[in-house]
Amino acid sequence: MKAIAYLALFTLCFLQMFNSQTRRDSLEYQMNHQYRLKILSLSGKGEWVLAAKYYDLNRDSLLILSTKKSVLKPISLVGFNMSQGFLKEEAIIAASLNKAVYRNLKSDRNIIYNDIKKVTTLEQSGRYSILNNNSTFTVYDISGNELYRLDSIQGFPQTDNQNKMYVLRKTGSLYEVDDVSGAGPRKLYAGTLKIKRFELSQSGKLLYVIEEKQDDLAEQAVIINIVSGVVLKPIIHPINKEDYLSVNEIGDKGSYLIKAQSKIKRSKNVEIWYGNDGNLINHQLEFDAVNTYWLVDASGKATLLPTAKFHTLLCTGNDRYVLAFTDGELQNYVTRTQDIKISLLNLYSLKCEEFDIVKDSSLYLSMKGEYLLYLNMNSEWVLCDMVSSKKRVIAKDFLKNPVFNFDCRLIYFESDNGLLVYDVLANEFNAQLCGKENSTRILNKARTGLMASYFHIYRSTLNKNEPLLVQAKNTFTDSSAYFSVRDKIQKPIIKSTPKFIREFYYTADKNRFVYTEESYNDPIQLAFRDIERKKEVKIYKAVGNNVDKTLKREMIYYKNSDHKELKGILYYPKNFNPEKKYPVVVRIYQIQSDTYNQHLILGYNNDIAFDIRALVESGYFVYLPDIVYGKMGTGLSALDCVNKALDAIENRSYINKEKIGLTGHSHGGYETNFIATHSNRFAAYISGAGNSDLVRSYFSYNYNFHSPFYWQYENGQYEMKIPFSENKKLYFSNSPINYCENVIAPMLLWAGKKDENIAWDQVMEFYIGLRRNNKDVIALFYSSHGHNLDFSSAERKDLYYKVLEWWDYFLKDKKNALWIDKQMKRVRLTTK
């Protein structure tokens, strides 16, 4: 009898493995035949486009496409996945790991380069270079002919990718910096001191060289004017050998700011956390940064700046003033981005005067620092004339992401009510463009971050003589349009369309455009438009991309208890028959209806643990309802929205109300956890990397955001809008862990144990709560991954198939997964 039982078990295991492998083979076959189009580059005059075919399992196929109808057949490059750029309209360079290809678009000449370290293109001049793994640097002309080569290259070239390129090389005992932009190398600087690094300035007029002194190994700066050939070696002291030097242009009159950063190491034996510390990130970095600054004039004379009160100085582009503030001085971690107390350091008098407090460090500068625009603590935009020091309040509190035009006459603001135009001279908003009902986004702003990414300090401008390119989205009609705006005159590029535009590229003159168009069951297409011509040109269609015209989806409309109008996308199963009943998988997060027009392909690298295309082709409805939050709190609001969304479809006879599953990841995982503790409408759940204990999370340190996490609840994604101390009931009542005994359907939990966004032990805590209450739960913990399992990793694939098996098991009653049987067919334990 035992032999028969073992044989039966072996046969069952074999059949399950066979079925699993058959399913995997079928899905991967389709993944190898479905792809997205990714635009990588557009030639300078818009005559050629380089696009990649992104299959889920590989990304090594490129297409070179002509935007002219006279050239129809695309050129394929297989084995390359990166664009290095076009050489005028004549040739293109593409690359992949350790190799590159030159392709002449007129003669079809093809050259393969192997064993490369770096390839660089100069689009305007039509030259390119190859740095190989032997540190030999070779420059080629536009026809692929070698011009010259240099050996003993140190590091990588510095380039603007248009017409300038520079290299550092060691020849004997000398270190030298060469200009390799032209037909032959030109020596700019040479010396016996070791050059540790060099970089091209933002203006492209200077090279900053950092040398290592022989006596004390400390760094010293060399400033090279590329145009005039003038070399400055400012003498700065005191400086230690551990200090890190950097150089910035102050304005356009030949003065510079040199910074020396000293890293004061913290004790590894004991960490001291102060209640007034605004730089808690330093515990992770294990050092405190101390900055010293020097002003260097046009002659090279260096003056130590009085910065005892300030941690940071920032160049504005204005020769008179730099911004001064202390990082962390006002940081209370109630918001993600700190407020900063700004002072102005007058470089002429070396005196400092207080300026204002900037909310959320939201500060924007014009091209040359003529104007400074910032949010004050009343959430008002304030414009300051840096010449007269006069300020004026712009009374528009819903505006965002300002952009100065080149001559500072106009400031453009994005908003949810069109593009707002502020006239600086008239001191008024005198235009509202691109549709008052549209949410706008400026696409071509030249925005340079002046601080780390957790500050919002930018130089935000338009380049000279160029128009503004604006995307305008209408969330009510699920459509978008694209405009060119010059001064206050708008011209349509793409008229309002329901198609989803994932990629949008443009030439330097902003007159020619290439973009992708897609919808749910139409093939992805590449389109080209010259703004001077009326019609767009379709230049490529993703034929054979498994487009199924029978696939259907529907927008569902409903209201939550606060009468907020919401939407949800309902995807129908393949070969839908209204006489049958189908299971439903509901995926939640926040707003999802804006993905209505996206084309879907199969793949592991879709949203983690969720593949709509695989589910609909397996006979499931898939439902993506929108969620918004109200006064009742995050979890209860999500529960309310999901209930109202289900109410909107519950009378459909073809939906099996007994076979509905709920899933979410990250914030959606938290919502799934909470709804599971308060609902009887679901047959199974999948929750990934979601919080379970809001109070513990609120009082935790988040190593992803480098801060205490309570800001996320009070002023972040959870939208509680009140501290825990002022409404403890609100936090308790929205914490899933407090109600885990109420879960009535099986739960699959998963997390990466290196997750620093949502602590993985939040998932463990919820598992323990369910385990203690004798609930059906399986938890998957991936030891070497973080918040999202790495793309194409074995673990991501493992989760992908476990998710499909979980839904089949509980929503289709396909009880053929041994790993689930081990939980569901166990002897139940009783707890006291």
Side-chain angles (χ1 to χ4, degrees), residues 154-211:
Q154 309 288 299
F156 293 126
Q158 292 291 308
T159 179
D160 64 357
N161 293 311
Q162 295 299 316
N163 50 35
K164 297 177 181 178
M165 184 161 53
Y166 309 91
V167 294
L168 167 65
R169 61 192 299 238
K170 187 174 186 294
T171 58
S173 61
L174 291 178
Y175 289 84
E176 67 180 51
V177 176
D178 292 339
D179 183 344
V180 289
S181 309
R186 180 171 68 94
K187 187 185 299 184
L188 294 176
Y189 176 77
T192 57
L193 297 183
K194 177 182 178 181
I195 296 178
K196 298 178 67 174
R197 59 189 179 276
F198 78 120
E199 65 175 302
L200 185 64
S201 69
Q202 287 186 4
S203 69
K205 299 176 182 178
L206 305 164
L207 281 171
Y208 305 137
V209 175
I210 305 299
E211 296 179 322

Side-chain angles (χ1 to χ4, degrees), residues 480-763:
S480 59
Y482 288 73
F483 297 92
S484 172
V485 177
R486 191 178 291 277
D487 292 331
K488 303 168 192 174
I489 308 300
Q490 67 183 46
K491 183 183 292 188
I493 301 169
I494 305 173
K495 293 182 178 180
S496 182
T497 175
K499 292 188 175 181
F500 183 72
I501 297 173
R502 192 182 297 270
E503 303 278 333
F504 184 84
Y505 272 60
Y506 42 86
T507 53
D509 61 8
K510 314 300 185 292
N511 286 330
R512 286 165 288 276
F513 312 92
V514 64
Y515 43 92
T516 58
E517 294 179 329
E518 61 184 86
S519 61
Y520 177 50
N521 48 12
D522 283 330
I524 303 171
Q525 298 186 88
L526 271 179
F528 174 78
R529 173 81 193 278
D530 187 322
I531 201 167
E532 301 302 326
R533 302 173 186 173
K534 292 183 178 180
K535 291 186 67 175
E536 71 175 14
V537 179
K538 306 292 187 185
I539 59 176
Y540 188 79
K541 181 186 292 187
V543 180
N545 204 24
N546 201 17
V547 175
D548 190 341
K549 288 285 189 178
T550 67
L551 291 178
K552 177 183 176 183
R553 89 285 195 222
E554 177 186 358
M555 191 70 84
I556 306 297
Y557 298 89
Y558 58 98
K559 294 181 181 179
N560 67 1
S561 295
D562 293 329
H563 306 290
K564 173 75 173 178
E565 293 184 351
L566 299 171
K567 298 183 290 185
I569 309 172
L570 183 66
Y571 295 93
Y572 282 65
K574 187 175 182 177
N575 301 320
F576 169 69
N577 183 344
E579 302 301 319
K580 294 183 178 180
K581 281 187 177 291
Y582 295 89
V584 184
V585 174
V586 181
R587 199 278 292 271
I588 55 175
Y589 193 73
Q590 288 179 275
I591 300 298
Q592 302 180 98
S593 59
D594 55 1
T595 63
Y596 184 70
N597 294 311
Q598 293 185 15
H599 183 77
L600 303 177
I601 65 173
L602 285 164
Y604 302 121
N605 298 318
N606 285 301
D607 291 344
I608 183 74
F610 184 66
D611 187 337
I612 298 174
R613 187 73 179 263
L615 289 169
V616 299
E617 292 194 0
S618 298
Y620 291 93
F621 274 96
V622 179
Y623 195 17
L624 274 60
D626 285 345
I627 290 173
V628 295
Y629 305 131
K631 294 181 180 179
M632 66 180 78
T634 319
L636 289 168
S637 295
L639 175 67
D640 174 64
C641 291
V642 170
N643 279 334
K644 293 298 191 291
L646 290 177
D647 292 345
I649 63 170
E650 71 172 352
N651 293 327
R652 303 184 182 212
S653 60
Y654 42 78
I655 286 179
N656 188 342
K657 292 187 288 185
E658 304 302 317
K659 296 294 183 180
I660 302 178
L662 183 68
T663 184
H665 168 242
S666 189
H667 197 62
Y670 155 74
E671 293 169 329
T672 299
N673 292 341
F674 185 84
I675 292 171
T677 65
H678 286 74
S679 179
N680 61 359
R681 303 181 75 161
F682 297 98
Y685 299 95
I686 299 177
S687 171
N691 268 327
S692 60
D693 186 340
L694 297 197
V695 178
R696 186 164 71 91
S697 178
Y698 178 95
F699 287 113
S700 69
Y701 184 87
N702 188 287
Y703 285 88
N704 181 62
F705 294 104
H706 317 297
S707 72
F709 211 34
Y710 48 75
W711 65 266
Q712 184 73 292
Y713 294 88
E714 296 181 32
N715 293 291
Q717 192 171 23
Y718 285 80
E719 298 184 26
M720 295 295 216
K721 299 180 180 179
I722 193 169
F724 171 76
S725 60
E726 295 181 21
N727 194 341
K728 296 180 180 180
K729 182 179 178 182
L730 181 68
Y731 284 80
F732 279 118
S733 62
N734 283 278
S735 287
I737 194 64
N738 297 334
Y739 308 97
C740 58
E741 71 276 9
N742 297 330
V743 174
I744 62 173
M747 291 201 74
L748 176 64
L749 307 175
W750 67 268
K753 293 183 75 172
K754 291 186 176 180
D755 193 344
E756 293 186 339
N757 188 339
I758 299 298
W760 73 272
D761 62 357
Q762 285 273 340
V763 179

